[in-house]
Amino acid sequence: MLDRIADLLPSRVQRQVDQFREVFELAAELRSPQILRSLGPSGARGLLLQRGKQGVPTHFQSRHRAHFDWSYPADQPEMQDLYRRAKHGQWNGEDLPWHIDVDPLNPEVPLLPESFVDFSYLEEQGIRLDALERRKLLHSLATWMLSQFLHGEQGALMASAQVTEAVQFFDGKYYGATQVVDEARHVEVFHRYLDDKCDRVYQINDNLFVIIDALMEDSRWDMKFLGMQIMVEGLALGAFGTLYRMTSEPLLRALLRNVIQDEARHVHYGVIALREHITKELSEAERREREAWAFHVSMLMRNRFMAYEVYDEWFDGILPRHKWRAFVQRAPGMEIFRRTMFSRLVPNLREIGLMSEEIQKSYARIGLMQYFDGRAAPDLSGDELLADLDHAA
Amino acid sequence: MGDRLTLSDRWTAARRDASMFVRTYLQGRPPAPLVRRRRRPTPLAVVRGGADQAAPLDGRPLLIDEVVRETPDAVSLWLRSPDGAEVAFVPGQFLTLVVTVDGQTLRRAYSVSSHRAHAPRVRLTIKAVHGGRVSGHLNRAAAAGATVRALGPSGDFTWDGGREELVLIGGGSGITPLMAIALAALRSEVPPRVTLIYGNRGLDDVIFREELAGLAAAHRGRFEVRHVLEAPPVPWDGAEGRLDAAQLEDQLEAIAPTDDALFYVCGPEPMMAAVRAHLDTRGVAVGRRREERFSQPAEREAPPPTGPQPARVTRGGVTEEVVVSAGETLLAAGLRAGARMPFSCTMGGCGACKCRLVEGEVTMEEPNCLSPEERADGFVLACVARPCGPVAVEVDG
C-alpha cells in the first residue's frame, strides 16, 4: 500500500522517502533499549550519515583493553591445535594464477550465471535487457559482492588485531596473530582481483558499515569477537560459498577456495573462545544481551544487503527502489546466499550458547530454525566445507 | 594526529556528515556508487574552476630554469614553480602548455619526462613536429629565465607501483611519458623488470640516448633498452626497420614477457595501431595495456563556429544559465559565468571535464579521449565541446 502511494511521487522524492523509511524501519526493529543503545549510533552513522561513502578515511575510537599475561599459560589445547593448523595452512596470494585473463563480459566464462537473478521480473516492470546488458548487470552484481567482501575483510583485519590484544587466552593470541595475517592476505587478493581484473570497486554497503562500526566502537572484546568471528565471518562464508558455487571463472574459484579454508578456521576459533566465555563467565543478563544482539544482526544480514550501490548505477530514476528490493530478494542466487549463510551461522550460535528457548521463538518467526540442527564449526573442516559446496554445485 | 580523535577532528567529521545528509536526503543526490580509484587522474591535478579565479583556463606560470638540446629537433625544458612549490605529478602524466604564438593562444600537451627526485624541477621534452607552431616556437625560442603557462598535470597513462614486469613501447617523442615511468619504476622500492622497445628513424633522433644507456648500465639485469632504427648507422648491432607488427613480434619473442607484464604504448598512430593489433593476436588483455595518444593539432577537426547559444550547466543541484559565444567552448563559457566546472588539460586529452549532455547537441574537436561507451552514454568533454543550439549539461560531484 505504502509502496503504491510512493510510486505516485516524482522519482527523486520517491527515493528520498524510501531511504528515510528504511532508517525508520531499522529503528523500529531494534525494539529493546539495550539493542538500540548498542546498534543505534552505528545505524545513524552508517545509514543516515553514510560515513563509509564520504570519500575520506574513517576514524574509529577504539576502547578495548589489551590483556597481557606474564605467566604464558598453555591451557587451551584446541586453540593450540588451530594455531598449528593455521601455520601449515598459510599461502601466498601471489601464487594464485593471476596470469589468467578475466574478461567479465565473456559469455563462455561468466562471473555469475544468468540464473543468479530473475530477469523475467525486470521484464514485468518494463525493463528489457539485451544479452550484453544482462552480462554487464551480472558483472556489476558480482563486482559489488566482491567489493563488499573486500570491505568486510578490512573490518576483519582491524577487528582480529584488536581481539588478539584483548583476548585472555594466551593460546588464542598465538592463533589470533595468524588470523591477522590471513585477513591482510584476503584484503590483498580481493583488492588485486577487483583492481586488475574487474577494473572497479564499489563503495561499502551502508549496512555492512553499521556492523563494522558497531564492532569497532564496542569496548567489550567478546562483542567484537561475536560480531566478527561469528556474524561477519558467517556472512562471509555464506557469500564466499555462494560465489564459489556459482562462478565459472577459474581465478576467482581458486582465490575463494583458499579464502574459504582460512575462514573455516576463523569461525572455529570464534566458537571455541566464545563457548568458554559465554557459558562460564557471563551473567544471565549479559548472555541475554548478546543473544538479542546476535539476533538483530542476523536480521540485518538477512534483510538488508540489497545492492543499492548497483541500483544507483543502473536503475536510479528508472525503477522504484522497492521494486529493486523485490528483484534482489527473489533472485535465486540470493536465496542460496541466505541458505548457505544461516546453515553455518545458526548452529554456531547454538554451540556458543546464544540460542536459548526464548530466542528460538524469534528465529522461528523469521524462518531460521530449520538450520538449528546443522553442524557447528568445530565439527566441520575447511575441506568438508568445500566438499559440501562442490557437491551442491 | 594524536591517538585520540580531537575536537577539531570531530568538528570536521560533523560538517562532512551534515553535508552528506543534506545531499542525500534533502537534495536527492546520493554518493557515487563506485570508489574513486587512485590510478585515475589525481584529484590534485584537477583544477576546480570558479568565479574566484580570474582566468583559470590560462593556467599558472612556470619558470624555464634550463634548456637542454636533446636532438637536432628536440629540446628539454626544465621548469619550476616561481613559488618554489613542487609540481606534483604521477609518472606518465602530462602538462598542457598555454603558449601565445603570433598573437594566438595555443594549447599543447607535453608529458613530464623527469623523476620526483628532480623536484622542484620538472622536465618537458618537446620535439619539433612538421608544421607544428608551438613545438617549432619552443624549439627555436625557449630560453632560460622566460615564463610559460601550464595546466595540469593530467592523464591516466600512469604507473602507480606494483607489477613485476613493465614493457614500454615507444616511438619518437612518445618516449617522454615512458621515461618518467621507467625512472619511477627503477627507483621504486621493489623495482619491476623494465624493457623499453624504442623506435626511431636514425641514431641522431634518439631522445635521451645517453641517459637511457646510463640507466641500463646502472640497472643491469633489470632494465633493458632495445632500439629499433629505420636508418641505422653502420655498423649497428640493434634492430633495423620500422616498429611494426613483425618487428614487435621479434622483439617480444626475444624478451619473453611474463603473463603478468603491463604494456605501456606511446608513439605515432601507425605504430600504435600495429602494437594494438599485435597485442590482440598475443591475447594480451585490455586490462594489461595502457595507451597514450597525442593527436597532432593539424589533424584535429575544428567544428565550424555557430552563433551565441544559451546553455544550462547543473552541478550539485545548482544550475547556471550561460551564454556561449560563437566559437567558445562550453567550459570557457561556464567558467566565465562562475559555474563550478572541473577541468585539467583543456584540450580533450584527460577527461576531467567530462559531463553529461542532457539536452541539445554539441560538436567536439576530434579525436579526443572519450571512449565509445562514454559517448553512447551521452558524455561530452566541456573543454572541446561547442553547442550547435541551446544545450543543458550535468556535471558530476
Side-chain angles (χ1 to χ4, degrees):
Chain A
M1 178 64 190
L2 273 177
D3 286 340
R4 236 171 289 155
I5 297 171
D7 282 353
L8 300 174
L9 298 167
S11 67
R12 189 174 272 195
V13 181
Q14 223 181 81
R15 179 200 166 97
Q16 286 156 252
V17 170
D18 191 80
Q19 277 183 286
F20 269 126
R21 221 176 97 187
E22 261 216 301
V23 177
F24 286 121
E25 276 173 13
L26 177 69
E29 271 172 29
L30 308 176
R31 271 179 297 251
S32 96
Q34 223 169 16
I35 295 297
L36 197 62
R37 241 195 337 269
S38 137
L39 283 176
S42 302
R45 285 188 288 265
L47 296 175
L48 280 178
L49 309 177
Q50 300 176 94
R51 284 261 173 103
K53 290 182 173 151
Q54 293 184 354
V56 292
T58 307
H59 296 126
F60 295 103
Q61 184 68 61
S62 61
R63 298 179 182 85
H64 62 283
R65 265 191 303 213
H67 175 98
F68 278 69
D69 191 332
W70 312 111
S71 66
Y72 307 91
D75 51 3
Q76 297 288 335
E78 218 174 336
M79 289 182 197
Q80 287 165 12
D81 180 50
L82 265 182
Y83 177 47
R84 241 186 326 269
R85 274 169 39 202
K87 283 188 289 187
H88 288 293
Q90 292 296 310
W91 47 282
N92 183 352
E94 289 171 22
D95 294 340
L96 288 173
W98 291 109
H99 62 273
I100 294 175
D101 280 334
V102 179
D103 176 358
L105 300 181
N106 180 352
E108 304 288 313
V109 196
L111 280 183
L112 284 176
E114 289 221 352
S115 61
F116 189 85
V117 293
D118 178 6
F119 284 110
S120 70
Y121 178 79
L122 282 183
E123 278 170 21
E124 284 162 26
Q125 310 307 322
I127 296 176
R128 193 173 288 277
L129 302 178
D130 65 25
L132 183 64
E133 288 168 332
R134 285 178 173 210
R135 283 203 296 277
K136 284 188 174 167
L137 179 58
L138 285 166
H139 174 223
S140 290
L141 281 169
T143 313
W144 178 84
M145 284 176 78
L146 288 165
S147 302
Q148 303 317 316
F149 296 172
L150 170 66
H151 301 312
E153 295 288 359
Q154 187 182 173
L157 172 61
M158 310 306 173
S160 60
Q162 295 188 355
V163 161
T164 303
E165 292 185 348
V167 73
Q168 74 263 38
F169 311 114
F170 216 84
D171 294 306
K173 290 185 190 289
Y174 294 141
Y175 169 77
T178 69
Q179 187 178 335
V180 177
V181 178
D182 290 349
E183 307 296 6
R185 185 171 51 234
H186 297 174
V187 174
E188 174 204 337
V189 295
F190 280 120
H191 187 256
R192 180 164 176 188
Y193 188 85
L194 283 164
D195 201 42
D196 278 14
K197 307 292 181 181
C198 300
D199 209 27
R200 54 171 45 192
V201 181
Y202 281 89
Q203 300 241 49
I204 185 170
N205 176 273
D206 295 333
N207 293 289
L208 178 57
F209 183 91
V210 171
I211 299 176
I212 292 178
D213 181 292
L215 298 179
M216 288 290 124
E217 295 276 333
D218 205 308
S219 60
R220 297 166 293 184
W221 77 266
D222 68 314
M223 293 299 278
K224 287 185 197 289
F225 225 89
L226 174 60
M228 192 45 72
Q229 303 286 106
I230 304 291
M231 310 304 289
V232 175
E233 295 278 359
L235 174 82
L237 268 181
F240 295 157
T242 308
L243 204 54
Y244 176 76
R245 265 175 70 175
M246 299 195 87
T247 190
S248 320
E249 202 283 287
L251 170 58
L252 183 58
R253 261 182 85 84
L255 186 160
L256 288 169
R257 207 184 162 78
N258 285 1
V259 170
I260 286 171
Q261 296 214 335
D262 290 346
E263 298 292 343
R265 277 197 309 272
H266 302 172
V267 183
H268 187 165
Y269 173 51
V271 170
I272 54 180
L274 284 173
R275 189 172 50 195
E276 186 86 7
H277 181 74
I278 291 176
T279 53
K280 295 190 183 147
E281 318 228 338
L282 292 186
S283 70
E284 177 55 18
E286 285 170 328
R287 194 200 61 78
R288 265 208 307 275
E289 184 198 348
R290 280 141 182 87
E291 186 170 78
W293 191 88
F295 175 73
H296 282 99
V297 172
S298 295
M299 297 261 287
L300 208 63
M301 299 196 306
R302 194 192 68 151
N303 299 340
R304 299 195 172 272
F305 286 95
M306 288 298 151
Y308 285 128
E309 292 74 17
V310 178
Y311 166 86
D312 284 344
E313 191 186 13
W314 279 76
F315 299 112
D316 189 16
I318 299 172
L319 185 74
R321 267 165 61 109
H322 67 88
K323 292 199 167 149
W324 169 258
R325 272 199 294 278
F327 172 68
V328 174
Q329 258 156 353
R330 61 191 283 171
M334 291 306 280
E335 178 49 34
I336 295 178
F337 159 60
R338 284 189 290 268
R339 220 168 39 225
T340 318
M341 169 167 78
F342 287 112
S343 65
R344 302 293 172 221
L345 182 61
V346 172
N348 288 336
L349 288 172
R350 179 200 68 208
E351 193 69 16
I352 58 177
L354 294 186
M355 269 285 185
S356 67
E357 279 181 22
E358 199 186 332
I359 201 86
Q360 284 182 27
K361 288 181 207 143
S362 303
Y363 280 98
R365 211 175 51 237
I366 57 170
L368 294 180
M369 273 309 283
Q370 53 174 315
Y371 305 112
F372 186 76
D373 295 320
R375 282 196 289 170
D379 306 323
L380 206 55
S381 72
D383 285 336
E384 284 172 307
L385 264 180
L386 285 167
D388 262 13
L389 291 166
D390 283 331
H391 181 69
Chain B
M1 187 198 304
D3 53 351
R4 281 199 168 265
L5 296 180
T6 62
L7 262 184
S8 126
D9 293 335
R10 287 174 199 276
W11 171 241
T12 312
R15 279 197 358 219
R16 221 180 273 125
D17 288 343
S19 106
M20 186 60 130
F21 182 84
V22 168
R23 282 170 46 130
T24 307
Y25 287 96
L26 305 181
Q27 298 174 343
R29 290 185 300 120
L34 295 177
V35 172
R36 206 178 283 266
R37 290 161 70 213
R38 295 200 194 137
R39 176 179 302 161
R40 303 302 159 214
T42 51
L44 273 181
V46 179
V47 180
R48 304 272 162 201
D52 51 331
Q53 270 178 285
L57 289 180
D58 289 349
R60 56 185 158 157
L62 291 178
L63 274 177
I64 302 180
D65 201 50
E66 189 186 347
V67 179
V68 178
R69 176 131 314 268
E70 301 285 355
T71 70
D73 57 1
V75 72
S76 281
L77 308 184
W78 284 95
L79 306 174
R80 64 182 167 86
S81 180
D83 59 10
E86 181 179 337
V87 181
F89 65 96
V90 183
Q93 284 192 314
F94 62 87
L95 293 178
T96 302
L97 288 192
V98 185
V99 181
T100 306
V101 183
D102 303 332
Q104 197 181 352
T105 302
L106 301 168
R107 296 167 188 280
R108 296 292 183 267
Y110 296 109
S111 298
V112 177
S113 61
S114 54
H115 183 253
R116 196 159 173 235
H118 301 121
R121 305 204 305 171
V122 289
R123 176 175 66 184
L124 301 186
T125 305
I126 296 142
K127 183 175 174 172
V129 295
H130 184 66
R133 293 169 69 189
V134 176
S135 62
H137 170 77
L138 291 173
N139 262 272
R140 279 190 311 275
T147 299
V148 291
R149 301 194 71 86
L151 286 149
S154 330
D156 59 2
F157 180 74
T158 53
W159 181 75
D160 51 6
R163 294 280 181 169
E164 287 175 5
E165 178 164 14
L166 306 181
V167 179
L168 314 177
I169 305 171
S173 59
I175 184 68
T176 51
L178 302 178
M179 188 71 189
I181 291 171
L183 284 169
L186 293 171
R187 293 183 186 209
S188 65
E189 211 167 319
V190 187
R193 175 187 168 205
V194 184
T195 309
L196 168 68
I197 304 170
Y198 186 17
N200 277 290
R201 166 157 276 285
L203 196 56
D204 289 342
D205 298 310
V206 178
I207 299 174
F208 307 136
R209 195 168 95 202
E210 284 171 20
E211 192 175 344
L212 286 169
L215 267 182
H219 299 273
R220 203 172 294 282
R222 195 155 282 288
F223 181 51
E224 185 190 5
V225 184
R226 303 179 70 90
H227 289 287
V228 179
L229 295 182
E230 284 174 44
V234 184
W236 171 245
D237 58 359
E240 181 175 350
R242 289 172 78 90
L243 190 42
D244 54 14
Q247 178 64 252
L248 193 63
E249 188 173 352
D250 291 349
Q251 294 292 333
L252 291 181
E253 285 308 312
I255 61 177
T258 64
D259 288 339
D260 195 38
L262 198 53
F263 290 79
Y264 285 86
V265 190
C266 183
E269 187 47 40
M271 184 209 93
M272 305 270 287
V275 174
R276 212 172 295 137
H278 181 68
L279 294 183
D280 282 344
T281 49
R282 287 182 80 90
V284 175
V286 175
R288 292 203 284 123
R289 309 183 197 178
R290 308 275 185 269
E291 283 189 9
E292 183 74 309
R293 198 172 309 144
F294 290 133
S295 55
Q296 299 276 337
E299 294 168 2
R300 291 164 74 105
E301 288 172 28
T306 57
Q309 301 290 357
R312 276 182 294 124
V313 180
T314 305
R315 182 173 188 198
V318 182
T319 300
E320 300 281 349
E321 307 275 346
V322 175
V323 177
V324 187
S325 322
E328 194 178 29
T329 64
L330 258 178
L331 178 66
L335 293 176
R336 189 164 43 73
R340 288 171 53 246
M341 297 173 79
F343 64 90
S344 185
C345 83
T346 70
M347 48 182 297
C350 74
C353 64
K354 194 174 82 172
C355 55
R356 197 188 285 274
L357 184 67
V358 289
E359 216 179 286
E361 258 186 80
V362 300
T363 54
M364 277 188 286
E365 289 170 30
E366 302 284 352
N368 57 52
C369 72
L370 277 182
S371 68
E373 292 79 27
E374 289 169 325
R375 285 166 201 262
D377 289 345
F379 283 106
V380 297
L381 295 174
C383 72
V384 290
R386 294 175 173 85
C388 309
V391 294
V393 293
E394 277 177 5
V395 183
D396 259 0

